[in-house]
Each structure stands twice: as C-alpha cells, then as structure tokens.
C-alpha cells in the first residue's frame, strides 16, 4: 500500500490470444477483465492506487485493432510484440491511442499541491539537512498515500542548491522570490530566473504579503517577474490577498481580482498548468490569528476560478491550481481540503514540522480521493 502506484502498470495478457494467427480477446471481455482489476485495486489498496496504476492490454494488438481497445475506459495502453519491430505500425498504434484518449485526458486536473514556505526560519545548514532528511524518510514511507500530491519546499536562497541535491523522489524545491535583471544590466544582489533554473528550482513564490506589504512590491513589478519566470521555464505560485481594512470596507474581491488580473497579464495560453494562485487573507496570517472560515475561502476561490475561466478559458480554469494559505494546520486542513475550489495549501510553521506537514498532505490526498470516489459513484462508474 505504501508504494508509488503511478510507477506501476499491470498488463493483462490472455495467453491464448498471443502469437501469429491467434484470435485476440474481444474488447468486451478485455474491458470486463480490466474493470475487475481496477475494482480489486480500489477495494484492497485504495482510490489513489486505482487511479494512478495503469492497466495495459497485451494480446496481439496491431494497427488494425488498436482503436477498439484504446476506446475502452479501463485500458490505459498496450504492450506490443511484432508491431514494435515495425516503425510504421508502432507509430500508428501510438497515434491511435493518443487520439482516442485525448478527450478524457483533457479533463484530468494536475496533482494537488502543497508548498512549505520556510521563510528565514532555519538559519543553519545542519538544521536544513536534518529537516530534509526527515522529509525524505517520511515521504518514502508514505509514497502511495501521497501519489496525488505535489510537494515543493521553499528554503531561503542560501540553501536552494543544498536542499535540491538532497531531496529524493518526486519532491521539488522552489525559490521564495526572483528578481530578473534587465537584459545587459547585472544588478548587485540579483537572483535571476536563469540562475534558479540552473540549480534545479521548479517553482517560484511571487507576490507574498511579506513582499507586497512590507517591501512594497507593486502589482506591476510582480507581473514583470512572473512573466520572466514563466518564460524561463519555471512554474509560479502567485500569492494574492486582502488586508483587514480592505475586507472591512467590502473590497476584498475587488482587491483580489485586481491583483490576479495584474499578475497574470503576461501568462501564455499554454502556461496555466504552471501557475498556482494562492489566496492569502493577510488578516488571517500569523501566530494566534483566526483563520478565514471555509465558507469565505470557498467563496473567494470560486470567484478566482470564475475570473480565470472568463478571461483565459475553461482549460486554464481546470489547469490553474487555486491554493489556500491562511494559517493552515494539521487540525484544520480537512475543512479546507473539502472545498471544491481548493487544490492545495501553502504552509508556514507546519512545513517545519515533518509530522504536521505529512498530516496536512495526507489529509489533502485522502479528502480529495473521497470526493473523486463519490463523483464516480454518482456517474455510475
């Protein structure tokens, strides 16, 4: 149960249907077998394993019958023999599979996302090494349960390469900021998107309230950095949030949509899968603060999703992950994970405690798996 099922495929090989001149298994019988296999995984291992594990058919598949099997809902691919020795036939089979599966794959959303923002909380290399080691061990043990969650650690600049070199598996490292120098102008103290890319960063945090409200970064500057980071191949977590006075004045949504529009002006149409938008109610941040209610968080996230849909299209609205970051803890994570428009979290203090971080991630995965199962049942799947 603890294995990473996204790295496993199970091939059904009806032995009696193999070999030259053999009669392939019928599509109807193949679907019954594959459905039974998927059902066994769901019952004995869990929803995540059943979704992540690929069920492959391998019974005299050729360019002539590939379309019949590719259209079956529980067939995720093929293993071929003789057809794999003929480039034209192999290409035909692969093209058929992609063509038949493309409509359903377009509906698949990216993994749920959790970012652990360390800020400046760890100030020694020994502390960094200890925390990364604990995270590696915990995620290795819980790989199966966390297959649908993408975790990214955001250490300070000084430790980016150190963390990246130690992380194992599917864990990512990101930068807490980026300032891309103007072409031809080598500013003192600049850390550019190219530098971050070169040390293996995948994500960048931009627009955090610390930088907007303390260092006074304006919407225009944040938008410029976002455009440059995306152009250099990085993924960006754009943080937006209203202050208490804006909320009390009834201008919360107005403020958030202004920040969202300004920050995403330069996002290419095909880059929304590399964008996460974090809602950070500034008034709900910090030790002892009262978190935003789940009802308020959902209302905000629904408005953000609607804005992306209206201005960038349905596919962008599916691909862009909406993240909640307002004093999320192991104790309240389930309340927010159940919200339909919350795709993950950014955590602060919880990201410095492996047990709490693991709890938040497992809660997110478990709650979303339950929702998927319920939706499948409604559809009769």
């Amino acid at each position: 149960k603890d294995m990473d099922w996204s790295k496993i495929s199970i091939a059904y090989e009806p032995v009696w249907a193999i070999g030259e001149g053999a009669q392939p298994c019928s599509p109807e019988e193949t679907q019954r077998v594959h459905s039974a296999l998927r059902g066994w995984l769901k019952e004995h291992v869990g929803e995540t394993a059943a979704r992540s594990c690929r069920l492959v058919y391998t019974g005299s598949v050729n360019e002539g019958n590939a379309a019949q099997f590719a259209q079956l809902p529980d067939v995720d691919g093929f293993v071929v023999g003789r057809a794999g020795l003929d480039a034209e036939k192999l290409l035909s089979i692969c093209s058929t599979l992609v063509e038949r599966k493309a409509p359903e794959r377009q509906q698949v959303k990216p993994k749920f996302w959790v970012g652990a923002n360390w800020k400046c909380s760890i100030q020694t290399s020994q502390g960094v090494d200890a925390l990364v080691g604990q995270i590696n061990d915990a995620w290795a043990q819980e790989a199966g349960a966390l297959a649908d969650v993408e975790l990214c650690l955001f250490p300070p600049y000084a430790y980016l390469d150190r963390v990246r070199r130690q992380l194992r598996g599917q864990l990512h490292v990101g930068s807490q900021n980026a300032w891309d120098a103007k072409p031809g102008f080598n500013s003192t103290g600049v850390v550019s998107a190219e530098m971050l890319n070169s040390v293996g960063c995948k994500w960048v945090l931009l627009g955090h309230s610390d930088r907007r409200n303390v260092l006074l970064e304006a919407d225009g500057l944040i938008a410029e950095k976002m455009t440059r980071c995306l152009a250099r191949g990085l993924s960006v977590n754009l943080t937006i949030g209203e202050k208490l006075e804006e909320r009390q004045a009834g201008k919360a949504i107005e403020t958030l949509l202004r920040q969202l529009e300004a920050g995403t002006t330069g996002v290419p149409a095909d880059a929304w899968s590399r964008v996460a938008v974090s809602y950070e109610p500034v008034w709900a941040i910090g030790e002892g603060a009262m978190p935003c209610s789940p009802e308020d968080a959902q209302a905000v996230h629904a408005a953000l999703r609607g804005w992306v849909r209206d201005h960038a299209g349905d596919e962008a609205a599916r691909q862009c992950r909406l993240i909640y970051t307002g004093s999320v803890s192991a104790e309240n994570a389930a309340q927010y994970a159940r919200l339909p428009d919350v795709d993950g979290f950014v955590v602060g203090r919880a990201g410095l405690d492996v047990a709490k971080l693991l709890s938040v991630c497992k809660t997110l995965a478990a709650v979303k798996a339950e929702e998927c199962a319920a939706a499948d049942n409604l559809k009769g799947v």
Side-chain angles (χ1 to χ4, degrees), residues 13 19 49 61 68 77 91 93 104 148 235 256 292 323 326 337 355 371:
E13 180 187 32
V61 177
Q68 303 175 48
L91 178 61
I93 290 171
E104 62 188 64
D148 281 345
S235 298
L256 295 169
C292 179
I323 309 299
E371 291 178 353

Side-chain angles (χ1 to χ4, degrees), residues 169-188:
Q170 299 300 308
L171 303 178
H172 300 298
V173 65
S175 174
Q176 296 177 20
N177 186 41
W179 169 241
D180 214 354
K182 299 288 186 183
F185 182 62
N186 298 319
S187 303
T188 301

Side-chain angles (χ1 to χ4, degrees), residues 285-342:
I285 304 299
E287 192 167 357
M290 178 61 67
C292 179
S293 72
E295 294 77 16
D296 281 351
Q298 171 57 26
V300 168
H301 280 233
L304 300 179
R305 184 91 67 195
W307 187 94
V308 175
R309 182 177 293 110
D310 290 344
H311 292 80
D314 289 339
E315 186 62 16
R318 278 197 299 272
Q319 294 295 323
C320 178
R321 284 172 281 192
L322 300 182
I323 309 299
Y324 178 67
T325 171
S327 298
V328 177
S329 65
E331 291 72 30
N332 63 23
Q335 302 175 50
Y336 298 102
R338 290 192 179 94
L339 303 177
D341 286 300
V342 168

Side-chain angles (χ1 to χ4, degrees), residues 79-91:
V79 173
V80 296
R82 289 185 302 279
L85 302 173
D86 185 310
E88 187 174 339
K89 292 179 179 179
L90 181 60
L91 178 61

